Amino acid sequence: MSPAKVKRARVHRLTDLPNVGPATAMDLEFIGISAPEQLSGKDPLKLYRRLCSKRGARQDPCVLDVFISITRFMSGDEPRPWWTYTEERKRRYGPV
């Protein structure tokens, strides 16, 4: 969902999260995340690596940006577009 449309009180499904559409929701379910609450306290890099491992291929690094955005949101941050985390991801994790 577009971050501008996200209302924290209405987040019940994965697709209610900022930056999460059907494809990302399916990726999250593929790695065992079926509800937004399960993202609280999760390490976005570990989620990304789990997805890469289960898919058997490196995923686009922008997926990590989305994972950063949703784990931060579930930790209380405001919803922000995934690309606002790109520079941080590059600095923090380097090439993934």
Side-chain angles (χ1 to χ4, degrees):
M1 175 179 292
S2 168
K5 295 180 180 181
V6 171
K7 303 292 183 220
R8 189 173 298 279
R10 294 185 185 153
V11 173
H12 304 291
R13 299 173 311 185
L14 293 173
T15 53
D16 295 333
L17 291 164
N19 307 302
V20 175
T24 301
M26 286 186 348
D27 283 342
L28 289 166
E29 289 172 351
F30 187 65
I31 60 171
I33 303 292
S34 59
E37 306 80 44
Q38 291 176 281
L39 293 163
S40 295
K42 295 285 190 218
D43 180 328
L45 183 60
K46 287 182 181 179
L47 295 172
Y48 174 78
R49 287 183 173 157
R50 185 180 330 156
L51 180 62
C52 292
S53 177
K54 284 197 76 168
R55 291 273 184 227
R58 177 183 170 270
Q59 302 298 293
D60 188 301
C62 295
V63 172
L64 178 53
D65 299 344
V66 172
F67 288 179
I68 294 169
S69 80
I70 59 179
T71 55
R72 294 270 178 84
F73 175 77
M74 289 307 297
S75 294
D77 285 7
E78 291 299 313
R80 294 175 33 195
W82 63 265
W83 59 86
T84 63
Y85 296 96
T86 302
E87 286 305 314
E88 175 187 342
R89 182 229 330 139
K90 290 178 179 178
R91 280 191 318 272
R92 187 172 184 185
Y93 302 116
V96 291

